[in-house]
Amino acid sequence: MSAALASAHSVSSVMTSEVSICNKALRYLGAPEIVALDQPSREADLCSRYYAEARDELLEHHHWNFATRYTSLAPLAAAPPFGFACAYRLPGDCLRVRRLRGEPPFEVVEARTLYTDAAPADAVLTVRVTDPARFPALFVEALARRLAAALAVPLMNSARLEQSMLQRFAEALEAARVADAAEGAADPVEINPWLTAR
């Protein structure tokens, strides 16, 4: 493991924030740091454009424990047009439906709608987590690396730097996934947390 990834294991006394994650990415690029996302600078403008996209992309990459929600989906009155028996509304912060209880087939279509034959539909979701204080240290490292890769061309005009940052991102992502998987030994369907959904 690289020194950068090892340092991500240590507990920081500084509260993680969007700005601190952006500054970590900017340091990897050798670019000036920012004090706020709305300050009048190119660095802040690009960070504000790319941060949420990089965060959501990373959240979708893996079934992160901290971004998991167990929930019963809200049924819709309209009958599905594609042969399924039931239609359900997905929550607004849902990024991906990982599975339904009992493993029935399902299809997610436009307008944040899920079709399935299951009734009710108890789902395991990956949801959008916007509070950086909830991010594990290795997730923060991976996010900073992904953001650095996204910023390399528009900010530093360097495709070579982008490729280097993508390689570092791949390493950071793997470390974060391994650590996250070690914390979730039981399969989310088997531990039956439906009545204590968080």
Side-chain angles (χ1 to χ4, degrees):
M1 183 184 297
S2 69
L5 291 181
S7 66
H9 282 289
S10 62
V11 178
S12 173
S13 60
V14 179
M15 182 67 71
T16 301
S17 67
E18 292 182 357
V19 170
S20 70
I21 295 171
C22 290
N23 279 335
K24 194 170 192 179
L26 292 170
R27 286 195 298 273
Y28 289 144
L29 296 173
E33 296 184 24
I34 62 175
V35 296
L37 286 171
D38 59 356
Q39 74 181 50
S41 72
R42 181 159 178 74
E43 291 78 15
D45 178 62
L46 289 171
C47 282
S48 66
R49 289 189 197 180
Y50 286 98
Y51 173 83
E53 179 181 318
R55 178 200 64 213
D56 287 357
E57 177 186 307
L58 185 54
L59 285 168
E60 288 191 58
H61 241 293
H62 173 72
H63 185 60
W64 304 103
N65 291 313
F66 75 94
T68 296
R69 179 185 300 159
Y70 301 89
T71 188
S72 293
L73 300 179
L76 295 173
F82 299 123
F84 288 108
C86 305
Y88 297 90
R89 174 78 64 200
L90 294 176
D93 61 355
C94 175
L95 292 175
R96 177 165 295 186
V97 179
R98 296 296 177 177
R99 67 190 71 190
L100 298 182
R101 189 178 190 184
E103 302 286 346
F106 65 89
E107 183 175 345
V108 176
V109 298
E110 60 183 349
R112 308 197 60 78
T113 302
L114 180 143
Y115 295 153
T116 183
D117 290 331
D122 295 324
V124 183
L125 310 177
T126 293
V127 297
R128 179 179 294 106
V129 178
T130 59
D131 180 4
R134 293 180 55 191
F135 298 161
L138 288 174
F139 182 90
V140 169
E141 173 69 13
L143 178 52
R145 291 293 187 182
R146 182 65 190 91
L147 184 57
L151 295 174
V153 172
L155 184 60
M156 308 300 287
N157 195 29
S158 175
R160 183 175 180 179
L161 185 57
E162 178 187 36
Q163 289 305 309
S164 175
M165 291 298 103
L166 284 173
Q167 178 59 41
R168 297 293 181 86
F169 164 65
E171 295 168 0
L173 174 61
E174 181 60 20
R177 290 176 63 177
V178 168
D180 187 75
E183 293 180 346
D187 185 277
V189 168
E190 298 303 323
I191 61 178
N192 196 23
W194 306 100
L195 297 180
T196 56
R198 52 194 170 105

PDB file of all heavy atoms in Angstrom, residues 156-181:
ATOM      1  N   MET A 156      -5.264  21.570 -15.390  1.00  0.00           N
ATOM      2  CA  MET A 156      -3.818  21.514 -15.616  1.00  0.00           C
ATOM      3  C   MET A 156      -3.459  21.280 -17.080  1.00  0.00           C
ATOM      4  O   MET A 156      -2.276  21.302 -17.439  1.00  0.00           O
ATOM      5  CB  MET A 156      -3.212  20.396 -14.762  1.00  0.00           C
ATOM      6  CG  MET A 156      -3.586  20.451 -13.286  1.00  0.00           C
ATOM      7  SD  MET A 156      -3.074  21.987 -12.475  1.00  0.00           S
ATOM      8  CE  MET A 156      -1.304  21.747 -12.377  1.00  0.00           C
ATOM      9  N   ASN A 157      -4.472  21.056 -17.916  1.00  0.00           N
ATOM     10  CA  ASN A 157      -4.261  20.830 -19.347  1.00  0.00           C
ATOM     11  C   ASN A 157      -3.272  19.692 -19.598  1.00  0.00           C
ATOM     12  O   ASN A 157      -2.371  19.796 -20.439  1.00  0.00           O
ATOM     13  CB  ASN A 157      -3.767  22.113 -20.034  1.00  0.00           C
ATOM     14  CG  ASN A 157      -3.892  22.043 -21.546  1.00  0.00           C
ATOM     15  OD1 ASN A 157      -4.771  21.364 -22.059  1.00  0.00           O
ATOM     16  ND2 ASN A 157      -3.007  22.733 -22.258  1.00  0.00           N
ATOM     17  N   SER A 158      -3.440  18.589 -18.857  1.00  0.00           N
ATOM     18  CA  SER A 158      -2.486  17.489 -18.951  1.00  0.00           C
ATOM     19  C   SER A 158      -3.200  16.144 -18.989  1.00  0.00           C
ATOM     20  O   SER A 158      -3.674  15.654 -17.962  1.00  0.00           O
ATOM     21  CB  SER A 158      -1.515  17.517 -17.763  1.00  0.00           C
ATOM     22  OG  SER A 158      -0.670  16.388 -17.778  1.00  0.00           O
ATOM     23  N   ALA A 159      -3.245  15.545 -20.189  1.00  0.00           N
ATOM     24  CA  ALA A 159      -3.819  14.207 -20.324  1.00  0.00           C
ATOM     25  C   ALA A 159      -2.922  13.178 -19.643  1.00  0.00           C
ATOM     26  O   ALA A 159      -3.405  12.165 -19.120  1.00  0.00           O
ATOM     27  CB  ALA A 159      -3.994  13.860 -21.797  1.00  0.00           C
ATOM     28  N   ARG A 160      -1.624  13.433 -19.644  1.00  0.00           N
ATOM     29  CA  ARG A 160      -0.697  12.511 -18.981  1.00  0.00           C
ATOM     30  C   ARG A 160      -0.944  12.485 -17.474  1.00  0.00           C
ATOM     31  O   ARG A 160      -0.948  11.423 -16.852  1.00  0.00           O
ATOM     32  CB  ARG A 160       0.740  12.945 -19.277  1.00  0.00           C
ATOM     33  CG  ARG A 160       1.795  12.021 -18.696  1.00  0.00           C
ATOM     34  CD  ARG A 160       3.176  12.438 -19.135  1.00  0.00           C
ATOM     35  NE  ARG A 160       4.195  11.555 -18.572  1.00  0.00           N
ATOM     36  CZ  ARG A 160       5.493  11.683 -18.817  1.00  0.00           C
ATOM     37  NH1 ARG A 160       5.925  12.658 -19.616  1.00  0.00           N
ATOM     38  NH2 ARG A 160       6.359  10.855 -18.269  1.00  0.00           N
ATOM     39  N   LEU A 161      -1.162  13.657 -16.899  1.00  0.00           N
ATOM     40  CA  LEU A 161      -1.472  13.732 -15.476  1.00  0.00           C
ATOM     41  C   LEU A 161      -2.805  13.053 -15.175  1.00  0.00           C
ATOM     42  O   LEU A 161      -2.959  12.387 -14.149  1.00  0.00           O
ATOM     43  CB  LEU A 161      -1.505  15.199 -15.027  1.00  0.00           C
ATOM     44  CG  LEU A 161      -1.711  15.477 -13.539  1.00  0.00           C
ATOM     45  CD1 LEU A 161      -0.636  14.791 -12.704  1.00  0.00           C
ATOM     46  CD2 LEU A 161      -1.715  16.975 -13.286  1.00  0.00           C
ATOM     47  N   GLU A 162      -3.760  13.199 -16.085  1.00  0.00           N
ATOM     48  CA  GLU A 162      -5.052  12.535 -15.918  1.00  0.00           C
ATOM     49  C   GLU A 162      -4.871  11.022 -15.828  1.00  0.00           C
ATOM     50  O   GLU A 162      -5.457  10.370 -14.956  1.00  0.00           O
ATOM     51  CB  GLU A 162      -5.977  12.875 -17.083  1.00  0.00           C
ATOM     52  CG  GLU A 162      -7.329  12.174 -17.011  1.00  0.00           C
ATOM     53  CD  GLU A 162      -8.149  12.394 -18.265  1.00  0.00           C
ATOM     54  OE1 GLU A 162      -7.562  12.447 -19.360  1.00  0.00           O
ATOM     55  OE2 GLU A 162      -9.383  12.505 -18.159  1.00  0.00           O
ATOM     56  N   GLN A 163      -4.066  10.450 -16.715  1.00  0.00           N
ATOM     57  CA  GLN A 163      -3.830   9.010 -16.697  1.00  0.00           C
ATOM     58  C   GLN A 163      -3.144   8.565 -15.416  1.00  0.00           C
ATOM     59  O   GLN A 163      -3.467   7.520 -14.843  1.00  0.00           O
ATOM     60  CB  GLN A 163      -2.996   8.597 -17.920  1.00  0.00           C
ATOM     61  CG  GLN A 163      -3.745   8.681 -19.231  1.00  0.00           C
ATOM     62  CD  GLN A 163      -5.034   7.885 -19.212  1.00  0.00           C
ATOM     63  OE1 GLN A 163      -5.049   6.700 -18.850  1.00  0.00           O
ATOM     64  NE2 GLN A 163      -6.141   8.530 -19.593  1.00  0.00           N
ATOM     65  N   SER A 164      -2.203   9.365 -14.948  1.00  0.00           N
ATOM     66  CA  SER A 164      -1.529   9.058 -13.686  1.00  0.00           C
ATOM     67  C   SER A 164      -2.511   9.082 -12.519  1.00  0.00           C
ATOM     68  O   SER A 164      -2.496   8.194 -11.648  1.00  0.00           O
ATOM     69  CB  SER A 164      -0.400  10.065 -13.438  1.00  0.00           C
ATOM     70  OG  SER A 164       0.185   9.861 -12.171  1.00  0.00           O
ATOM     71  N   MET A 165      -3.397  10.091 -12.503  1.00  0.00           N
ATOM     72  CA  MET A 165      -4.385  10.200 -11.428  1.00  0.00           C
ATOM     73  C   MET A 165      -5.406   9.053 -11.485  1.00  0.00           C
ATOM     74  O   MET A 165      -5.856   8.563 -10.452  1.00  0.00           O
ATOM     75  CB  MET A 165      -5.107  11.544 -11.496  1.00  0.00           C
ATOM     76  CG  MET A 165      -4.238  12.753 -11.155  1.00  0.00           C
ATOM     77  SD  MET A 165      -3.597  12.729  -9.453  1.00  0.00           S
ATOM     78  CE  MET A 165      -1.890  12.203  -9.757  1.00  0.00           C
ATOM     79  N   LEU A 166      -5.758   8.610 -12.692  1.00  0.00           N
ATOM     80  CA  LEU A 166      -6.687   7.495 -12.827  1.00  0.00           C
ATOM     81  C   LEU A 166      -6.075   6.210 -12.285  1.00  0.00           C
ATOM     82  O   LEU A 166      -6.768   5.388 -11.667  1.00  0.00           O
ATOM     83  CB  LEU A 166      -7.098   7.315 -14.288  1.00  0.00           C
ATOM     84  CG  LEU A 166      -8.119   8.327 -14.828  1.00  0.00           C
ATOM     85  CD1 LEU A 166      -8.304   8.153 -16.326  1.00  0.00           C
ATOM     86  CD2 LEU A 166      -9.459   8.187 -14.101  1.00  0.00           C
ATOM     87  N   GLN A 167      -4.771   6.029 -12.507  1.00  0.00           N
ATOM     88  CA  GLN A 167      -4.094   4.858 -11.964  1.00  0.00           C
ATOM     89  C   GLN A 167      -4.088   4.901 -10.442  1.00  0.00           C
ATOM     90  O   GLN A 167      -4.364   3.904  -9.770  1.00  0.00           O
ATOM     91  CB  GLN A 167      -2.662   4.778 -12.493  1.00  0.00           C
ATOM     92  CG  GLN A 167      -1.862   3.609 -11.935  1.00  0.00           C
ATOM     93  CD  GLN A 167      -2.492   2.255 -12.247  1.00  0.00           C
ATOM     94  OE1 GLN A 167      -2.980   2.041 -13.360  1.00  0.00           O
ATOM     95  NE2 GLN A 167      -2.504   1.349 -11.274  1.00  0.00           N
ATOM     96  N   ARG A 168      -3.788   6.067  -9.885  1.00  0.00           N
ATOM     97  CA  ARG A 168      -3.812   6.214  -8.425  1.00  0.00           C
ATOM     98  C   ARG A 168      -5.226   6.021  -7.878  1.00  0.00           C
ATOM     99  O   ARG A 168      -5.421   5.480  -6.791  1.00  0.00           O
ATOM    100  CB  ARG A 168      -3.284   7.595  -8.035  1.00  0.00           C
ATOM    101  CG  ARG A 168      -1.825   7.836  -8.416  1.00  0.00           C
ATOM    102  CD  ARG A 168      -0.886   6.947  -7.633  1.00  0.00           C
ATOM    103  NE  ARG A 168       0.497   7.181  -7.952  1.00  0.00           N
ATOM    104  CZ  ARG A 168       1.268   8.098  -7.389  1.00  0.00           C
ATOM    105  NH1 ARG A 168       0.760   8.906  -6.464  1.00  0.00           N
ATOM    106  NH2 ARG A 168       2.528   8.228  -7.740  1.00  0.00           N
ATOM    107  N   PHE A 169      -6.208   6.483  -8.638  1.00  0.00           N
ATOM    108  CA  PHE A 169      -7.602   6.285  -8.231  1.00  0.00           C
ATOM    109  C   PHE A 169      -7.938   4.805  -8.173  1.00  0.00           C
ATOM    110  O   PHE A 169      -8.583   4.339  -7.216  1.00  0.00           O
ATOM    111  CB  PHE A 169      -8.549   6.999  -9.193  1.00  0.00           C
ATOM    112  CG  PHE A 169      -9.978   6.540  -9.088  1.00  0.00           C
ATOM    113  CD1 PHE A 169     -10.717   6.756  -7.937  1.00  0.00           C
ATOM    114  CD2 PHE A 169     -10.584   5.861 -10.143  1.00  0.00           C
ATOM    115  CE1 PHE A 169     -12.034   6.318  -7.829  1.00  0.00           C
ATOM    116  CE2 PHE A 169     -11.888   5.416 -10.050  1.00  0.00           C
ATOM    117  CZ  PHE A 169     -12.617   5.649  -8.885  1.00  0.00           C
ATOM    118  N   ALA A 170      -7.523   4.046  -9.174  1.00  0.00           N
ATOM    119  CA  ALA A 170      -7.811   2.612  -9.202  1.00  0.00           C
ATOM    120  C   ALA A 170      -7.228   1.923  -7.969  1.00  0.00           C
ATOM    121  O   ALA A 170      -7.873   1.050  -7.362  1.00  0.00           O
ATOM    122  CB  ALA A 170      -7.253   1.981 -10.477  1.00  0.00           C
ATOM    123  N   GLU A 171      -6.025   2.319  -7.575  1.00  0.00           N
ATOM    124  CA  GLU A 171      -5.390   1.736  -6.391  1.00  0.00           C
ATOM    125  C   GLU A 171      -6.157   2.122  -5.127  1.00  0.00           C
ATOM    126  O   GLU A 171      -6.390   1.279  -4.246  1.00  0.00           O
ATOM    127  CB  GLU A 171      -3.942   2.217  -6.293  1.00  0.00           C
ATOM    128  CG  GLU A 171      -3.057   1.744  -7.441  1.00  0.00           C
ATOM    129  CD  GLU A 171      -1.721   2.460  -7.469  1.00  0.00           C
ATOM    130  OE1 GLU A 171      -1.481   3.336  -6.590  1.00  0.00           O
ATOM    131  OE2 GLU A 171      -0.912   2.162  -8.365  1.00  0.00           O
ATOM    132  N   ALA A 172      -6.542   3.384  -5.036  1.00  0.00           N
ATOM    133  CA  ALA A 172      -7.275   3.864  -3.858  1.00  0.00           C
ATOM    134  C   ALA A 172      -8.651   3.215  -3.773  1.00  0.00           C
ATOM    135  O   ALA A 172      -9.124   2.867  -2.687  1.00  0.00           O
ATOM    136  CB  ALA A 172      -7.403   5.387  -3.903  1.00  0.00           C
ATOM    137  N   LEU A 173      -9.315   3.055  -4.910  1.00  0.00           N
ATOM    138  CA  LEU A 173     -10.629   2.430  -4.936  1.00  0.00           C
ATOM    139  C   LEU A 173     -10.548   0.995  -4.452  1.00  0.00           C
ATOM    140  O   LEU A 173     -11.384   0.546  -3.654  1.00  0.00           O
ATOM    141  CB  LEU A 173     -11.215   2.484  -6.344  1.00  0.00           C
ATOM    142  CG  LEU A 173     -12.535   1.738  -6.557  1.00  0.00           C
ATOM    143  CD1 LEU A 173     -13.635   2.302  -5.668  1.00  0.00           C
ATOM    144  CD2 LEU A 173     -12.948   1.795  -8.032  1.00  0.00           C
ATOM    145  N   GLU A 174      -9.553   0.255  -4.913  1.00  0.00           N
ATOM    146  CA  GLU A 174      -9.419  -1.135  -4.498  1.00  0.00           C
ATOM    147  C   GLU A 174      -9.195  -1.241  -2.993  1.00  0.00           C
ATOM    148  O   GLU A 174      -9.788  -2.091  -2.322  1.00  0.00           O
ATOM    149  CB  GLU A 174      -8.261  -1.800  -5.256  1.00  0.00           C
ATOM    150  CG  GLU A 174      -8.052  -3.261  -4.909  1.00  0.00           C
ATOM    151  CD  GLU A 174      -9.253  -4.143  -5.199  1.00  0.00           C
ATOM    152  OE1 GLU A 174     -10.119  -3.746  -6.011  1.00  0.00           O
ATOM    153  OE2 GLU A 174      -9.345  -5.239  -4.604  1.00  0.00           O
ATOM    154  N   ALA A 175      -8.348  -0.373  -2.449  1.00  0.00           N
ATOM    155  CA  ALA A 175      -8.105  -0.387  -1.002  1.00  0.00           C
ATOM    156  C   ALA A 175      -9.381  -0.070  -0.229  1.00  0.00           C
ATOM    157  O   ALA A 175      -9.685  -0.703   0.789  1.00  0.00           O
ATOM    158  CB  ALA A 175      -7.002   0.610  -0.649  1.00  0.00           C
ATOM    159  N   ALA A 176     -10.157   0.904  -0.720  1.00  0.00           N
ATOM    160  CA  ALA A 176     -11.402   1.284  -0.049  1.00  0.00           C
ATOM    161  C   ALA A 176     -12.425   0.160  -0.118  1.00  0.00           C
ATOM    162  O   ALA A 176     -13.136  -0.123   0.859  1.00  0.00           O
ATOM    163  CB  ALA A 176     -11.966   2.554  -0.671  1.00  0.00           C
ATOM    164  N   ARG A 177     -12.517  -0.508  -1.258  1.00  0.00           N
ATOM    165  CA  ARG A 177     -13.475  -1.606  -1.419  1.00  0.00           C
ATOM    166  C   ARG A 177     -13.126  -2.779  -0.521  1.00  0.00           C
ATOM    167  O   ARG A 177     -14.010  -3.401   0.085  1.00  0.00           O
ATOM    168  CB  ARG A 177     -13.514  -2.051  -2.878  1.00  0.00           C
ATOM    169  CG  ARG A 177     -14.161  -1.048  -3.814  1.00  0.00           C
ATOM    170  CD  ARG A 177     -14.094  -1.497  -5.249  1.00  0.00           C
ATOM    171  NE  ARG A 177     -14.827  -2.738  -5.455  1.00  0.00           N
ATOM    172  CZ  ARG A 177     -14.970  -3.322  -6.643  1.00  0.00           C
ATOM    173  NH1 ARG A 177     -14.417  -2.786  -7.713  1.00  0.00           N
ATOM    174  NH2 ARG A 177     -15.660  -4.427  -6.761  1.00  0.00           N
ATOM    175  N   VAL A 178     -11.848  -3.105  -0.429  1.00  0.00           N
ATOM    176  CA  VAL A 178     -11.422  -4.226   0.416  1.00  0.00           C
ATOM    177  C   VAL A 178     -11.746  -3.928   1.876  1.00  0.00           C
ATOM    178  O   VAL A 178     -12.273  -4.779   2.601  1.00  0.00           O
ATOM    179  CB  VAL A 178      -9.919  -4.493   0.229  1.00  0.00           C
ATOM    180  CG1 VAL A 178      -9.403  -5.438   1.309  1.00  0.00           C
ATOM    181  CG2 VAL A 178      -9.651  -5.080  -1.153  1.00  0.00           C
ATOM    182  N   ALA A 179     -11.437  -2.711   2.322  1.00  0.00           N
ATOM    183  CA  ALA A 179     -11.715  -2.342   3.713  1.00  0.00           C
ATOM    184  C   ALA A 179     -13.206  -2.345   3.989  1.00  0.00           C
ATOM    185  O   ALA A 179     -13.658  -2.799   5.046  1.00  0.00           O
ATOM    186  CB  ALA A 179     -11.123  -0.962   4.010  1.00  0.00           C
ATOM    187  N   ASP A 180     -14.006  -1.853   3.047  1.00  0.00           N
ATOM    188  CA  ASP A 180     -15.453  -1.800   3.231  1.00  0.00           C
ATOM    189  C   ASP A 180     -16.044  -3.206   3.278  1.00  0.00           C
ATOM    190  O   ASP A 180     -16.909  -3.499   4.104  1.00  0.00           O
ATOM    191  CB  ASP A 180     -16.087  -0.996   2.094  1.00  0.00           C
ATOM    192  CG  ASP A 180     -17.570  -0.763   2.311  1.00  0.00           C
ATOM    193  OD1 ASP A 180     -17.912   0.093   3.153  1.00  0.00           O
ATOM    194  OD2 ASP A 180     -18.386  -1.425   1.650  1.00  0.00           O
ATOM    195  N   ALA A 181     -15.563  -4.095   2.398  1.00  0.00           N
ATOM    196  CA  ALA A 181     -16.070  -5.458   2.366  1.00  0.00           C
ATOM    197  C   ALA A 181     -15.753  -6.193   3.667  1.00  0.00           C
ATOM    198  O   ALA A 181     -16.535  -7.025   4.129  1.00  0.00           O
ATOM    199  CB  ALA A 181     -15.482  -6.217   1.177  1.00  0.00           C
TER     200      ALA A 181
END
